[in-house]
Amino acid sequence: MMKEWISGRQFLCLLLVFAFTFALLGCAQSVEAASAAGTAEQKTGAPGFFLTAEYDRLYFAPLDGSSPRLVADSSTLCTARWGEWLYAAFEDGSIMRLSLDGSSATELVPAGSRSYRELIPFDGGVIGAHYSLREGAGYDLYREGSRTPVALFEGEPALMTCTVGKYIYSRRYDGVSGSRLAAFDPESLESLWEVPVDSTVELLRDEEGILCFVPNSGKLSRLDEDAHALVPVSAPLAKDDCELLAAYRGNYLVQGNWSDNYRYYLIQGDSRSLLDESLPDFVSLMDLCGSKALLKYFEGGQSAAGENVWYRTDRYKVLDLESGEISDFPVHGQYGALFASGDFPLMDSSTARKPVTAELYAFFCESTGAGGKMPLCSTTHGAWLNIADGAADIALLAAPTQEEQDYLDERGVSVEMKLYGGDGLVFIGNRACGVEDMSLDQVRAIYRGEITNWSQLGGADRPIRVLYRDDQSGSQRLFERMLWKEEPVPDFEALGYDRLDEMSTIVSECLRDPYAIGYSIMTYLNDVYGSEDLLTFSLNGYAATPENVAARNYPLGTQGYVVIRSDEPADSPARRLFNFFGSPLSDVILTRNGVTPLSDDGEQASQ
């Protein structure tokens, strides 16, 4: 049976990943199991692997190599087998129990709970391990039938190790008597007995019980739960072995340390052999089904579609721990298969949406190896013309101006538009100006020429340098539409303001000139610029954040649409991508790029 465990090296990496993931995503994703409508549990023994792919969606892949099936359309944090079930924890805090063929799922813990990084199921329930930089490690026990957690080891000097056999075990260290493996009664949670262990010991459950592996020592023991003792296991381990990845009936997969170039070895009884060189330098155990171990590794690179976009391709191999055979295990997920034939449509977009189109291209074309047409970035106006002229198949845009609608009518082109997300028009400056919040009326007064010095707003006694964009740019059109609805747009040229043709130039000038003011799109700034000197002004007391855009508090929130021509056939590439928007995975990609997912009813989209 599978167990996910954490070494000291992995734990540090895991904490970094944990913090990074929460900073990026910022919002939880919901679980949509394959059989969401029915919760009846059917115990099956159909052989197959559970694996994560496509931004950690949970799939079931039969051993016979037939097509994998999506069983949970959510970011999966960890899984663990126990008996005839698989337990899975998700980013939104929920825990599910799934039949081993992935055909049925039952929610054990609802969304909104903690995000668990390790699950330890047993006959009486499941234990969830959580980690944070601030709080360290902790463990919650959910008893069978209860959704209320019981905190384990409170007040105990518990370390980062916990597992379950006949007892619940925790590694303890008090600084005096060293490390011990403490056994707790599963019902009363009373501490019953202890056995001394090495301070670096790692615990692994296999089909025979609990193994205790000491990295970089060549030592392996089995815990005798009746005798309350560790029994040495005879196996040709080496002192360079730093990781015990898998165990099955006396066969072990181990990894050497830096001095051994982290090579992998298969131990079968008294024999030890170096694995086939085709195995990548770094792999992780994804699942164990009988003697077959599913190993995950990844390939990646920089996307050709955008300077700041990197793509990652998850790859899998199967190692038979009994025969030693290694084979490729190709996985084509549900989403990646949308354009597996390389027919990805030609996308166009505004400048602010270039990161989104680049990531879509990286995911559908580069990570799958299918290839496809490189996205354009013709700006808002240019993209609308391309949709009208048939020079682009699909585009991410703001609603058309009257001029653009007239152009569509002249060409006899009707379009379909679907709201996919929200953004914001933001006013930017330099922190040296001494002002952080303005009202919309004050912004208008600056652009009318009525407020000309930062001191009039409580800031530095310096003249305000006003910047604006050309009238065909998306940000300029938003600026005119949102701030000057009830009065004529001032003649900025006559007022002596500086017109800049590129969005990046406005940002650069605000960084260079401490007393300039301009405007941009919120997600463009978040993706491209990270200087502490760059200031995004709060408006009417509300900061320009995705949360305030979603709550409709930020006064200059915007709406973005995915657009195709109405005559697109039902299964055309453009329509398939159009239909993709609104899916849980599309919301993940949007969120990663700072866009707040929204549905057509104007509410924040469920994920």
Side-chain angles (χ1 to χ4, degrees):
M1 58 193 65
M2 183 183 68
K3 168 73 171 63
E4 295 190 4
W5 67 98
I6 301 169
S7 68
R9 175 165 57 89
Q10 289 173 316
F11 176 64
L12 292 175
C13 294
L14 185 59
L15 288 181
L16 293 175
V17 170
F18 176 77
F20 181 67
T21 301
F22 270 73
L24 273 177
L25 295 181
C27 66
Q29 301 148 1
S30 67
V31 175
E32 294 187 5
S35 58
T39 59
E41 299 184 351
Q42 302 171 358
K43 298 185 179 182
T44 67
F49 292 120
F50 286 90
L51 55 91
T52 58
E54 302 180 333
Y55 297 88
D56 297 322
R57 311 294 98 180
L58 184 62
Y59 280 88
F60 173 78
L63 285 178
D64 61 12
S66 55
S67 297
R69 183 172 67 254
L70 182 67
V71 295
D73 200 345
S74 183
S75 179
T76 310
L77 297 180
C78 61
T79 61
R81 290 181 184 248
W82 182 253
E84 298 180 330
W85 306 105
L86 180 98
Y87 293 74
F90 300 95
E91 189 71 54
D92 65 2
S94 63
I95 298 177
M96 304 287 287
R97 180 167 61 198
L98 300 98
S99 60
L100 287 185
D101 65 354
S103 65
S104 66
T106 299
E107 184 183 77
L108 301 181
V109 178
S113 305
R114 292 182 185 269
S115 294
Y116 293 106
R117 295 293 164 163
E118 181 185 8
L119 290 180
I120 309 162
F122 61 104
D123 288 341
V126 63
I127 295 172
H130 54 89
Y131 308 96
S132 71
L133 293 171
R134 177 178 298 177
E135 299 177 0
Y139 298 89
D140 291 338
L141 168 65
Y142 290 90
R143 297 201 182 277
E144 186 69 35
S146 173
R147 296 191 171 197
T148 303
V150 176
L152 297 181
F153 318 130
E154 286 190 315
E156 294 283 339
L159 296 181
M160 297 95 67
T161 303
C162 173
T163 194
V164 177
K166 292 182 179 179
Y167 305 92
I168 297 175
Y169 296 97
S170 174
R171 190 182 69 194
R172 310 166 72 184
Y173 179 75
D174 61 11
V176 178
S177 55
S179 293
R180 292 102 63 208
L181 193 60
F184 295 80
D185 180 84
E187 293 300 323
S188 68
L189 302 182
E190 177 185 358
S191 179
L192 301 178
W193 51 270
E194 298 179 351
V195 58
V197 293
D198 187 276
S199 62
T200 62
V201 69
E202 296 175 353
L203 306 179
L204 174 65
R205 292 192 300 184
D206 66 1
E207 75 285 350
E208 297 179 17
I210 297 174
L211 289 167
C212 299
F213 170 69
V214 181
N216 301 297
S217 70
K219 296 180 181 179
L220 181 65
S221 304
R222 185 170 293 281
L223 179 62
D224 187 327
E225 299 187 88
D226 296 323
H228 304 171
L230 296 181
V231 179
V233 173
S234 177
L237 292 167
K239 287 189 176 181
D240 289 337
D241 294 336
C242 72
E243 201 78 50
L244 176 59
L245 291 173
Y248 179 76
R249 295 182 179 176
N251 303 309
Y252 309 101
L253 174 63
V254 298
Q255 183 185 20
N257 62 19
W258 61 271
S259 65
D260 196 29
N261 201 28
Y262 297 103
R263 290 184 292 182
Y264 294 90
Y265 296 88
L266 180 62
I267 295 175
Q268 298 170 299
D270 295 331
S271 69
R272 176 188 177 95
S273 59
L274 181 65
L275 279 180
D276 191 309
E277 293 295 335
S278 67
L279 196 66
D281 290 339
F282 294 96
V283 300
S284 59
L285 177 66
M286 189 75 253
D287 198 4
L288 188 61
C289 182
S291 65
K292 299 185 187 303
L294 181 66
L295 305 177
K296 179 178 181 178
Y297 63 103
F298 70 89
E299 299 171 350
Q302 189 170 18
S303 173
E307 296 178 355
N308 301 305
V309 177
W310 292 78
Y311 66 90
R312 167 175 171 160
T313 305
D314 293 329
R315 304 293 189 195
Y316 304 88
K317 288 183 180 288
V318 174
L319 167 66
D320 191 314
L321 294 173
E322 291 186 318
S323 69
E325 294 180 355
I326 300 176
S327 58
D328 290 326
F329 194 74
V331 173
H332 302 288
Q334 170 180 297
Y335 289 108
L338 278 175
F339 306 102
S341 59
D343 59 350
F344 188 71
L346 180 58
M347 298 192 74
D348 207 343
S349 72
S350 62
T351 303
R353 289 297 164 263
K354 185 176 181 180
V356 175
T357 61
E359 185 151 351
L360 289 169
Y361 180 82
F363 175 72
F364 284 115
C365 301
E366 292 173 314
S367 68
T368 62
K373 301 170 185 175
M374 190 82 70
L376 305 173
C377 181
S378 304
T379 73
T380 302
H381 183 67
W384 269 115
L385 299 186
N386 282 341
I387 286 290
D389 293 337
D393 301 318
I394 186 170
L396 302 182
L397 299 168
T401 62
Q402 187 59 52
E403 176 187 353
E404 290 155 355
Q405 185 59 57
D406 291 344
Y407 191 82
L408 290 166
D409 294 341
E410 289 175 10
R411 296 296 187 274
V413 174
S414 62
V415 298
E416 291 183 39
M417 298 171 54
K418 178 165 66 174
L419 178 66
Y420 68 82
D423 205 336
L425 178 71
V426 294
F427 285 87
I428 58 176
N430 194 295
R431 293 193 183 278
C433 75
V435 176
E436 295 186 358
D437 180 79
M438 293 186 289
S439 68
L440 290 182
D441 286 339
Q442 289 172 329
V443 173
R444 293 187 189 95
I446 290 174
Y447 277 87
R448 291 191 203 102
E450 297 167 358
I451 294 178
T452 59
N453 193 295
W454 287 110
S455 63
Q456 294 174 258
L457 301 172
D461 186 12
R462 298 297 296 269
I464 300 174
R465 180 189 174 203
V466 182
L467 310 175
Y468 70 104
R469 289 286 311 280
D470 63 283
D471 59 8
Q472 293 301 326
S473 73
S475 58
Q476 179 68 20
R477 287 161 41 178
L478 284 173
F479 170 65
E480 295 180 2
R481 183 187 305 165
M482 301 183 82
L483 269 81
W484 310 99
K485 292 183 293 187
E486 300 178 1
E487 60 182 283
V489 179
D491 187 338
F492 301 130
E493 183 178 3
L495 288 167
Y497 299 158
D498 292 333
R499 192 186 88 169
L500 302 176
D501 292 335
E502 299 293 333
M503 188 181 293
S504 60
T505 309
I506 278 194
V507 180
S508 299
E509 283 300 294
C510 287
L511 287 171
R512 189 189 65 80
D513 186 341
Y515 307 108
I517 184 173
Y519 41 85
S520 185
I521 303 299
M522 182 171 65
T523 51
Y524 177 78
L525 294 177
N526 292 343
D527 183 74
V528 178
Y529 296 93
S531 172
E532 293 183 358
D533 293 332
L534 188 66
L535 172 66
T536 301
F537 293 101
S538 296
L539 296 177
N540 294 349
Y542 290 100
T545 65
E547 294 76 15
N548 282 335
V549 169
R552 304 295 194 270
N553 289 327
Y554 184 67
L556 297 182
T558 65
Q559 294 181 331
Y561 296 88
V562 55
V563 180
I564 60 174
R565 291 182 293 275
S566 299
D567 59 1
E568 281 289 347
D571 194 42
S572 71
R575 190 167 292 280
R576 293 203 304 272
L577 185 57
F578 183 84
N579 293 336
F580 167 77
F581 282 91
S583 69
L585 189 59
S586 77
D587 289 351
V588 171
I589 293 175
L590 291 170
T591 302
R592 282 169 51 89
N593 288 280
V595 180
T596 304
L598 297 175
S599 61
D600 280 314
D601 60 6
E603 298 298 323
Q604 189 170 9
S606 61
Q607 294 182 39

